[in-house]
Amino acid sequence: MKTRLILSLMLAVVWAAACGQPGQRGKQAAGNDVPVFLDDSKSIEERVEDVLARMTVEEKVAILHAQSKFSSAGVPRLGIPELWTSDGPHGIRPEVLWDKWSQAGWTSDSCTAFPALTALAASWDPELSKLYGQSIGQEARYRKKDVLLGPGVNICRTPLNGRSFEYMGEDPFLSSTMVVPYVQGVQSNGVAACVKHYALNNQETNRFVTNVKVDERTLYEIYLPAFKAAVQKGGAWAIMGSYNLYNDQWCCQNEYTLNGILKGEWGFDGVVISDWGGAHDTELCVKNGLDLEFGTVTNNPAAASNAYSNYYLADPFLEGVKSGEFDMKALDDKARRVLRLFFRTVMDRNRPYGSFVSPEHIAAARKIGAESIVLLKNDGGVLPLKDEGKILVVGENAVKMMTVGGGSSSLKVKKEYSPLEGIKERFTNAEIVYERGYVGDTDGKFDGVSTGQDLLDNRSSAQLIADAVTAAKDVDCVIFIGGLNKSLFQDAEGEDRKSYDLPYGQDDVIEALCAVAKKMVVVIISGNAVAMPWVDKVPAIVQDWYLGSEAGHSLADVLSGDVNPSGKLPFTIGKQLSDYPASTEAQYPGIPRPEPSKMGVQDVTILDEEYSEGIYVGYRWFDHASIAPEFAFGHGLSYTTFEIGDPKVSGSIEKGLTFSIPVKNTGEVAGSEVVQLYVSAGDSAVERAPKELKGFSKVYLEPGKTATVKITIDKDAISYFDAGKHVWVAEKGDYSALIGTASDVLPKTVEFKY
């Protein structure tokens, strides 16, 4: 009773404030005991309009920019709390100080680290994506975060991109399919997913000053579909603008991509949030679609104490509104969008409470990790390993913690199980020995978080190899665990990789081990493709990822056969860097303009980058150029075998053409297979890729069992974007559906017409 009385008094105070302060332009709804904006029974739009009418101009401007590193102001007078964001997309970032990146020193912010999004994409399983979104959304909600800064869906255009591990691969259809359930899962917790980085942010090198020059067809067919799916199918409540430029406008204040496409063509009713420091000019921010500004100025140690008031969407905007330079319509549109975000998140009193580092989240991380691992090669059935004999584990990545580092996705975790720990825990009947093999990054610190590991080793490279070779002569199997890490110039925000090769002399270690090992397994931990010059000498190769808290358990599950691998590559692994399309300086990383350009309030040296390969990205390029990859997009083996039967077709392309495809597990182990459907066009008025992924389905089967998967396509699957007419066109003519288990293993062909 006492609690109810206190709540009633608080509500009365808010009601009185809402109805009695200067600046009120609305009035209380007739017959209602509380203002409309506090009435949960009213629609969000009714509540938004009601509170908007009660706000002063100053209050409207105040909700359009940050008040700290990761929060923005609410409307205290009306009882609307502040809004808190947190970096994802793989876990909830540890707390930092109000104005700095430095750690706040909390002891309760060690989260569950989920697998990187490249790993999630490699699962080819939308149900796992939903589980991922629900789980990380629960962690965000428990930590009282209202906006999760993720997922990322930029296309893997070059394997050198330092941030590809945060994205969902090279194919727009795969990314589009996987992002939707992630967004929906996050937002089921009353936490907004902020899909990033919109748009064309496909490299880290010179990311602040690169002007992307791409034809409109390529923009619509390759680089926008995942964002469109997140908005129109996933219902995303927030989009983050990217750092780079397109058409000589920064993407956080870009008339065409934000107003024209996102809010215009796609009908996005949510909030456009700047990447931290991505805003550059008040007039362009106001007119070209930015709604909520973060990160400006405060990274500068010389910034004034009132830095937040100096934001482009703060006092400069307020002064412009009062002077008549900017009209109220622009202000109200932005405030309306931000208020809508408030009511969807922090003002939703019915949203769940969330949970944090729960057994369910740990289990989800382990499951997603195991189902994402890709078995690239397994000659002679080296895998799965038996729990017996003597096993040598070699490689720094077998022991190095990977949750710390990589940029804004760096995390502080309760516990991260390393591959070596997972192997020792699982193979209890085998003798496990370890050798370092190589020394890479021994730092283990990022933004004040430390792994606490002492990885120093004073042995020379030659001695490290010699010691590993000596140990390899006396074991039944060698497991080399290497790859990349999340240090700068590898898989990390801020800079791209400098080389396609493995770092730290790992190729030499692998070659030396191959010469003496009875059995050899190479495990590559990375978020990107790497060169494998030793590929023909190694019988078993596993593509592992940054798998978070349960990394070691997930890998051991697959190496042991407790989990039958079912992951498929979300990108193409080429033999060498020159196999990829962005091979000239003009294509990547771009050519600096001879003179600085006037960009809003700044003079900046801009680099122009030509996406002259057009639609030929990833496997589309390899097919188009007739280049044989090392491992194809969609490739992934199993410990069992599957047989794809003859498809049956029903329906029509106009209303939905359904392919019913029998799949049989012809082996002796239960497992999952991903049936993939690609569409190939016949004669066309425009250039078309030889084939494009347009459907897939993952199915689990016991040995000897058969199931029928159904994949339905429609006119979208055969359409191209006509830039001249600015419409999608489905040409009349002949088409082929190519069906199989990888982009280079498509044994079934079905012809159809439109």
Side-chain angles (χ1 to χ4, degrees), residues 13 47 165 183 198 271 282 290 304 328 333 465 472 497 617:
V13 170
R47 298 173 74 186
F165 73 99
V183 168
Y198 182 75
V271 172
T282 296
L290 184 66
M328 285 298 300
D333 176 71
I465 293 175
R497 295 165 63 192
V617 177

Side-chain angles (χ1 to χ4, degrees), residues 511-663:
E511 293 278 0
L513 291 171
C514 286
V516 298
K518 297 174 185 176
K519 289 183 179 180
M520 180 81 171
V521 179
V522 169
V523 177
I524 297 296
I525 297 176
S526 72
N528 252 318
V530 300
M532 301 179 182
W534 32 261
V535 65
D536 294 331
K537 300 177 183 179
V538 177
I541 305 173
V542 173
Q543 176 63 55
D544 198 5
W545 316 97
Y546 305 115
L547 297 185
S549 296
E550 290 292 290
H553 287 150
S554 296
L555 178 59
D557 287 344
V558 169
L559 294 179
S560 66
D562 292 344
V563 171
N564 192 346
S566 60
K568 300 284 185 175
L569 285 177
F571 50 64
T572 304
I573 298 179
K575 298 179 187 294
Q576 55 215 356
L577 184 60
S578 59
D579 288 347
Y580 293 89
S583 56
T584 68
E585 185 182 0
Q587 288 178 297
Y588 172 86
I591 298 177
R593 294 177 183 174
E595 300 292 338
S597 303
K598 186 70 176 177
M599 306 298 297
V601 297
Q602 300 159 283
D603 290 324
V604 182
T605 297
I606 300 296
L607 287 84
D608 287 313
E609 186 173 42
E610 301 276 357
Y611 281 32
S612 53
E613 71 277 6
I615 62 171
Y616 298 114
V617 177
Y619 66 90
R620 289 167 171 82
W621 167 259
F622 282 79
D623 289 347
H624 171 72
S626 298
I627 298 173
E630 197 73 82
F631 295 104
F633 172 80
H635 170 78
L637 304 177
S638 171
Y639 296 150
T640 190
T641 54
F642 296 93
E643 181 180 274
I644 305 296
D646 293 329
K648 294 182 179 179
V649 185
S650 60
S652 66
I653 196 69
E654 292 88 351
K655 296 183 179 180
L657 191 64
T658 299
F659 297 81
S660 299
I661 307 159
V663 185

